Amino acid sequence: MQPLLDSIDSPADLRQLEEKALQSLAGELRQFLIEVISGTGGHLAPGLGTVELAIALHYVFDTPNDRLVWDIGHQAYPHKILTGRRQKMHTIRQAGGLSGFLKRAESEYDTFGAGHSSTSISAALGMAIAAQLNHAPRQVVAIIGDGALTAGQAMEALYNAGDLDANLLVILNDNEMSISRNVGAMSNYLARILSGRAYTTVREGSKTVLGTAPPVQAFARRWEEHLKGMVMPSTLFEELGFNYIGPIDGHDIHTLVSTLRNMKAMEGPRFLHIATQKGKGFKPAEGEPVAFHGVGPFNPDTGKVEKKSGKRTYTQVFGDWMCDMAAADERLIGITPAMRDGSGLVRFSEEHPDRYFDVGIAEQHALTFAGGTACDGLKPVVAIYSTFLQRAYDQLIHDISVQNLDVTFAIDRAGIVGADGPTHQGAFDLSFLRCIPGMTVLAPADEAECRDMLYTAFLHPGPAAVRYPRGSGPGVAETSKMTRIPIGKAQLCREGQEVALLAFGTMLAPAMEAGDSLDATVVNMRSVKPLDTAMIEQLADSHTLLVTIEENAMRGGAGAGVAESLAQGDRSIPLLILGLPDEHIEHGDPDIVLAQCGLNADGIISAVRRRQPGQVAASRHSA
């Protein structure tokens, strides 16, 4: 007998099935997802928790005419499988393959692209308003995880949606164990009643029928609130203007289908609260949902993950430094926007729980909160990804820079990140940090230098950032001792002829290799802001071509800073700026991507030779 999943090439195929077949389909879909991700790696636990939900949504709603807006994309792997991409799932997060997130260019079913959290309700509200103004008879559904509701943008969208009385359904995918007691036969039964057409008619009709009898209307309203209060965690969403239903069992596919059908027939802002289990159906992921949130290739039978490289990562360097620095200075506190594990703060959170603050997916709050602690004598360290810092740019300027507050930023995932692709490439932090007055920006070339730069930034009395990449470095071991590096002082690493390579951060290693082939001078610039202007002027006076190399966008980055320095110093010398191109860079192996961008040794050598520095020198001296 042919597996049901093999017959599903689109949601239209799914809608041809009898409802009683959906549970079997869910089992096949869950097993397929485990098998695929065991080979490729990727986000597993979130998708395992949304198998039934994805099936029910595409079964009840007329997609793609009806809009499904999934938050982030971690939870949307089952959605991808059901929408014609099953045969390509083995390419996910690989160069030229499927994106690990939602992407409008990839499928008409991906109605809104997203790699960062908490955008779904805002986007879905916009689509609901567009449908209203265009007189388009379509449903709009936003699916958001419970963690994503900690972000201010999600709450802002909820406030606006209730006020606009938009025809919008928001589904909260809640996988917190604390609400398990609210899930069961009685809860599901009441949810079906509360979402049913008869109840809705009575509820709406009572506003008119009982309108002339205030005491009776008030009694009916109190009865309804009392009934809901027995099974609901909060009346918050109703206060915001939503018709709140739930929580219901997100793995009971028949309850999901029944409830979604009833809520589809309703109008206005609706809120469905479902309870799911992250990692559902795969015991290793159920037991360790954090570890299997984003996982490398693993054994699908045992869940054992393939061993990674034994080299230390920059994230580990940071995590160990935090613990050492906290032991040396009791003023240090650690702040992260819901990235304890990813930012390397697990050990710190265990050793210093009273000095560790996870503020949720709330980057804006994280920075202003850090600023507040700095005002009263603490020394906050904000551990944040490069692309997540983008979300708090106003706070970085308005709350930190303007007041010159002593906040240290440990910026992880700077530069090319690999499989996560354009939404997560740390391509812009040097550009958007360099223009902020009073900001100090450091870029380490190796692990030992990263530790020393973190120490230097922490001691600096003002806002300072250390940006470092994902993964491991060249393997330079740190020592227990921490050394303060002079800010704004570059390091001459190799003396050569004609060409000077000015390397920022991770680009020192390929620059050294290229320098040997070109007999070029190589400098580890170390500090992006302030720049070592004396070194730049010295190199300009003694060489015929300066080349800046950075793992950041060329527009407005470190190379642009060198160009500004040369202009201000009235130095006229050819300058070649090498960096990431002016485009959004797709996912792929970091080494391959960097090579494609010309940011490996061969790329640097080729770019320099194309500029023909010997001829440049001849024309310069003759002038």
Side-chain angles (χ1 to χ4, degrees):
M1 182 177 177
Q2 182 187 29
L4 287 171
L5 187 59
D6 289 353
S7 67
I8 307 299
D9 293 320
S10 72
D13 297 330
L14 170 63
R15 291 190 281 270
Q16 296 301 311
L17 297 179
E18 294 185 17
E19 185 177 330
K20 63 183 181 181
L22 298 184
Q23 193 61 54
S24 295
L25 176 63
E28 293 180 14
L29 178 52
R30 184 167 276 113
Q31 189 58 41
F32 177 79
L33 184 60
I34 294 169
E35 291 174 358
V36 168
I37 304 306
S38 71
T40 64
H43 297 101
L44 179 66
L48 290 176
T50 60
V51 167
E52 288 82 5
L53 177 59
I55 291 173
L57 283 168
H58 283 292
Y59 192 71
V60 171
F61 291 95
D62 181 26
T63 56
N65 179 61
D66 288 339
R67 310 298 200 222
L68 301 183
V69 185
W70 295 85
D71 212 85
I72 307 180
H74 295 156
Q75 58 179 340
Y77 282 22
H79 158 82
K80 284 178 177 276
I81 295 168
L82 294 171
T83 53
R85 289 168 276 184
R86 174 169 47 90
Q87 300 291 348
K88 294 183 179 180
M89 283 298 292
H90 67 282
T91 71
I92 199 161
R93 291 164 53 87
Q94 299 175 37
L98 295 178
S99 168
F101 299 103
L102 300 167
K103 192 171 185 180
R104 282 171 55 85
E106 186 176 288
S107 171
E108 63 179 334
Y109 294 94
D110 290 1
T111 58
F112 195 79
H116 296 178
S117 83
S118 314
T119 63
S120 59
I121 303 176
S122 297
L125 177 58
M127 294 176 188
I129 294 301
Q132 176 182 313
L133 296 177
N134 293 329
H135 305 289
R138 66 166 53 102
Q139 298 283 331
V140 182
V141 184
I143 307 101
I144 188 168
D146 55 317
L149 276 185
T150 62
Q153 181 176 356
M155 298 308 297
E156 290 169 6
L158 286 173
Y159 299 149
N160 193 208
D163 183 60
L164 291 176
D165 197 32
N167 192 26
L168 169 69
L169 170 60
V170 176
I171 298 178
L172 171 61
N173 173 30
D174 191 336
N175 52 36
E176 285 293 321
M177 296 297 290
S178 61
I179 68 164
S180 61
R181 69 174 67 93
N182 296 320
V183 176
M186 180 60 72
S187 177
N188 290 339
Y189 172 69
L190 290 174
R192 284 196 295 270
I193 292 176
L194 295 174
S195 67
R197 186 183 304 275
Y199 171 80
T200 304
T201 301
V202 170
R203 184 176 188 269
E204 295 301 316
S206 67
K207 294 178 181 178
T208 301
V209 174
L210 302 179
T212 56
V216 179
Q217 185 181 30
F219 171 81
R221 183 168 59 252
R222 286 196 300 272
W223 175 86
E224 179 188 45
E225 290 173 354
H226 175 70
L227 176 63
K228 289 189 174 185
M230 291 191 299
V231 294
M232 295 176 193
S234 171
T235 59
L236 168 66
F237 301 108
E238 293 230 339
E239 293 296 327
L240 294 177
F242 283 79
N243 188 354
Y244 174 95
I245 303 297
I248 66 171
D249 185 349
H251 300 300
D252 183 337
I253 199 161
H254 300 297
T255 293
L256 275 174
V257 168
S258 175
T259 305
L260 286 172
R261 279 176 175 157
N262 288 333
M263 299 194 80
K264 180 181 178 180
M266 298 160 62
E267 295 184 351
R270 292 147 286 158
F271 194 101
L272 174 61
H273 185 172
I274 71 169
T276 63
Q277 180 180 11
K278 201 170 183 179
K280 174 73 173 177
F282 187 51
K283 289 190 181 299
E286 291 178 354
E288 296 184 84
V290 174
F292 280 87
H293 174 83
V295 67
F298 61 91
N299 185 313
D301 297 321
T302 65
K304 187 175 181 180
V305 180
E306 291 183 5
K307 289 185 178 180
K308 298 180 181 179
S309 167
K311 295 174 67 175
R312 279 170 59 76
T313 66
Y314 282 97
T315 302
Q316 290 171 326
V317 171
F318 165 71
D320 290 343
W321 171 82
M322 278 289 286
C323 293
D324 293 344
M325 197 70 241
D329 192 330
E330 63 181 12
R331 296 173 300 167
L332 180 148
I333 63 170
I335 300 170
T336 182
M339 292 304 298
R340 184 191 73 152
D341 295 75
S343 292
L345 288 174
V346 173
R347 180 184 155 206
F348 177 81
S349 69
E350 294 170 347
E351 293 184 4
H352 303 281
D354 58 331
R355 296 157 68 182
Y356 166 73
F357 300 91
D358 182 342
V359 302
I361 304 175
E363 295 87 356
Q364 294 173 311
H365 165 61
L367 264 67
T368 305
F369 169 62
T373 66
C375 285
D376 280 350
L378 296 182
K379 295 272 288 183
V381 177
V382 178
I384 192 167
Y385 288 7
S386 172
T387 52
F388 296 169
L389 183 57
Q390 295 166 183
R391 300 184 131 199
Y393 196 56
D394 178 62
Q395 285 68 31
L396 183 58
I397 296 173
H398 182 272
D399 299 336
I400 306 297
S401 171
V402 170
Q403 303 181 94
N404 194 37
L405 295 179
D406 189 3
V407 179
T408 301
F409 295 91
I411 305 176
D412 204 333
R413 271 55 167 188
I416 297 299
V417 296
D420 283 339
T423 57
H424 286 64
Q425 308 285 22
F428 310 109
D429 55 85
L430 292 186
S431 300
F432 69 67
L433 290 173
R434 199 178 62 79
C435 64
I436 299 176
M439 195 79 200
T440 293
V441 185
L442 306 176
D446 57 51
E447 300 90 335
E449 195 168 70
C450 183
R451 180 177 170 88
D452 288 341
M453 284 187 177
L454 287 165
Y455 178 64
T456 302
F458 183 77
L459 295 181
H460 177 70
V466 180
R467 60 103 69 171
Y468 46 89
R470 182 177 190 172
S472 56
V476 179
E478 322 101 86
T479 64
S480 58
K481 181 182 179 181
M482 290 180 278
T483 302
R484 193 169 187 174
I485 295 175
I487 293 174
K489 294 296 182 181
Q491 177 187 39
L492 181 63
C493 298
R494 185 188 191 283
E495 291 193 60
Q497 305 293 321
E498 298 290 331
V499 177
L501 305 179
L502 284 64
F504 292 87
T506 56
M507 291 294 98
L508 179 61
M512 288 295 289
E513 186 179 344
D516 290 339
S517 295
L518 296 168
D519 189 21
T521 295
V522 180
V523 177
N524 176 13
M525 292 301 292
R526 287 182 163 177
S527 179
V528 178
K529 185 178 184 181
L531 286 167
D532 188 341
T533 56
M535 174 68 79
I536 293 171
E537 292 177 359
Q538 177 185 330
L539 295 172
D541 291 339
S542 57
H543 293 74
T544 60
L545 175 68
L546 298 188
V547 183
T548 64
I549 315 164
E550 63 190 295
E551 196 174 339
N552 185 82
M554 288 186 285
R555 308 290 187 185
V562 171
E564 294 163 6
S565 177
L566 290 169
Q568 291 171 354
D570 197 25
R571 294 301 201 279
S572 178
I573 181 174
L575 175 65
L576 174 61
I577 298 176
L578 301 180
L580 300 177
D582 189 21
E583 61 189 53
H584 291 293
I585 300 169
E586 295 299 328
H587 56 280
D589 180 271
D591 291 337
I592 295 175
V593 172
L594 287 170
Q596 292 171 341
C597 295
L599 294 179
N600 61 355
D602 289 341
I604 295 168
I605 293 168
S606 296
V608 170
R609 286 176 175 165
R610 282 195 299 269
R611 287 296 295 264
Q612 298 178 317
Q615 293 183 16
V616 170
S619 62
R620 181 172 177 235
H621 290 311
S622 63

